[in-house]
Amino acid sequence: MADKQISLPAKLINGGVAGLIGVTCVFPIDLAKTRLQNQQNGSRLYTSMSDCLIKTIRSEGYFGMYRGAAVNLTLVTPEKAIKLAANDFFRFHLSKDGQKLTLLREMLAGCGAGTCQVIVTTPMEMLKIQLQDAGRIGERPKNSAAQRKLMPQTVAPGGPVEVKSPTAMQLTRELLREKGIAGLYKGLGATLLRDVPFSIIYFPLFANLNNLGKKGAEGPAPFYVSFISGCIAGSTAAVAVNPVDVIKTRLQSLTRGNQEDTYSGVTDCIRKILRNEGPSAFLKGAYCRALVIAPLFGIAQVVYFLGVGEFILSFLPKRNN
């Protein structure tokens, strides 16, 4: 993407539009991924992605699959815009006289992009995970006092538990009041450990796959090549960093079942998962994450290469210098 010079506003619009479209399409799968990753041995509610989605629809309705979507739809625009624009920025400045980047420089550019995006990613995922996992916690017959305080519930006579999920604004105010801005950035270290390696793998892999489909030395690749390259690179990177995503999800979850472990940090989380659930637990939700990331980044690259941002900007009045 370094060879295609696009203005910064267009990059931001491209990233935002791609994020909005992608999240809308794959959010239910992302919800299933979060709930599968959070359930521990002895407290399993779901056996698979399809089982999770079916039970979610039965207990929470169709829109239960979109718990936390508002947070993602609000913050995914700056997140994806920062990620794509930062990668282009670093690729441009790491290139020598427009020459093709070496693999090491491509990885450095991806590293820079992944580091920049956590400014938005961490609080976004922190809030999203609480809202997504509220239904899983709410389905339990008994909850702790802290859980009841955060997610009040009423039991209808002879009926199922009705869970009143907190809103993103309520969670934000509660975290800021109790822990300050650091409350929104819980799990920052784990987020960096996930997103930096993800970007190091994704961006070089996408650039090289996309180059294979170019019609000529200078011509752009067809949009379907960009889409397929984005899907392959995204799913590969997603599965590669899934163990860290499990750790991040566990650390950022504020509410748990009565018999579920709590964690003091990354090392403690790794140790307890290995001891109580075994190495396979680090692959929980891996196929869900691949199904989320593949189309998400495929759509992002298509929007980026189709120049949606430039098209939108063309309708805006130009400023006279």
Side-chain angles (χ1 to χ4, degrees):
M1 291 188 297
D3 58 344
K4 184 177 180 181
Q5 298 306 311
I6 305 174
S7 65
L8 180 59
K11 291 176 184 177
L12 298 179
I13 294 172
N14 284 333
V17 170
L20 290 173
I21 296 172
V23 167
T24 303
C25 294
V26 302
F27 194 84
I29 303 175
D30 187 65
L31 178 136
K33 181 218 67 155
T34 297
R35 294 188 177 185
L36 288 171
Q37 287 182 339
N38 259 337
Q39 64 179 6
Q40 302 178 22
N41 287 351
S43 60
R44 293 185 62 186
L45 295 174
Y46 316 111
T47 58
S48 64
M49 179 184 72
S50 58
D51 180 58
C52 178
L53 293 177
I54 290 171
K55 288 180 178 176
T56 298
I57 293 173
R58 285 177 179 172
S59 61
E60 304 167 56
Y62 174 79
F63 290 104
M65 295 190 297
Y66 283 88
R67 281 180 180 266
V71 175
N72 256 35
L73 291 172
T74 302
L75 296 179
V76 75
T77 297
E79 188 224 13
K80 287 293 178 286
I82 289 172
K83 189 184 191 81
L84 294 173
N87 180 66
D88 266 12
F89 174 83
F90 288 115
R91 287 179 69 90
F92 177 77
H93 287 281
L94 287 170
S95 63
K96 295 181 179 179
D97 301 325
Q99 295 181 355
K100 188 178 184 298
L101 289 175
T102 63
L103 179 60
L104 178 60
R105 288 175 180 266
E106 288 183 332
M107 294 173 69
L108 286 174
C111 177
T115 303
C116 291
Q117 79 168 83
V118 297
I119 297 171
V120 177
T121 303
T122 305
M124 178 183 75
E125 298 239 330
M126 180 69 187
L127 295 173
K128 182 197 72 172
I129 286 172
Q130 314 317 314
L131 297 172
Q132 286 182 327
D133 207 37
R136 182 186 71 91
I137 296 295
E139 287 183 25
R140 298 182 180 284
K142 295 181 180 180
N143 290 312
S144 67
Q147 291 164 358
R148 288 195 299 271
K149 179 182 178 182
L150 184 61
M151 291 175 287
Q153 49 187 291
T154 57
V155 182
V161 175
E162 177 187 351
V163 180
K164 295 182 180 179
S165 175
T167 66
M169 288 303 299
Q170 289 173 334
L171 286 169
T172 301
R173 286 195 295 266
E174 187 73 19
L175 288 169
L176 289 175
R177 181 168 60 249
E178 293 185 359
K179 301 181 181 179
I181 192 67
L184 290 173
Y185 281 87
K186 182 180 180 181
L188 174 62
T191 305
L192 277 169
L193 288 174
R194 182 197 67 173
D195 288 351
V196 171
F198 178 93
S199 295
I200 289 175
I201 296 169
Y202 172 78
F203 284 110
L205 182 57
F206 166 79
N208 285 280
L209 289 173
N210 196 58
N211 285 337
L212 294 176
K214 285 187 175 182
K215 295 181 178 179
E218 299 297 330
F223 79 93
Y224 65 86
V225 173
S226 297
F227 177 79
I228 294 173
S229 299
C231 288
I232 294 174
S235 58
T236 301
V239 173
V241 302
N242 193 76
V244 188
D245 190 55
V246 172
I247 295 168
K248 183 198 72 68
T249 300
R250 296 280 182 96
L251 289 175
Q252 289 187 320
S253 297
L254 297 176
T255 57
R256 305 185 188 282
N258 291 333
Q259 298 180 355
E260 292 183 339
D261 290 328
T262 57
Y263 312 102
S264 60
V266 173
T267 304
D268 181 56
C269 183
I270 294 172
R271 181 173 54 82
K272 287 181 178 178
I273 290 176
L274 285 173
R275 183 184 64 197
N276 299 328
E277 303 173 63
S280 62
F282 290 110
L283 294 178
K284 285 185 176 180
Y287 66 96
C288 293
R289 183 163 164 77
L291 290 174
V292 168
I293 297 297
L296 193 62
F297 278 84
I299 291 169
Q301 295 300 346
V302 169
V303 170
Y304 206 76
F305 278 89
L306 288 179
V308 174
E310 296 95 314
F311 177 76
I312 294 174
L313 288 174
S314 68
F315 289 94
L316 300 178
K318 296 182 179 179
R319 296 177 58 183
N320 294 323
N321 294 329

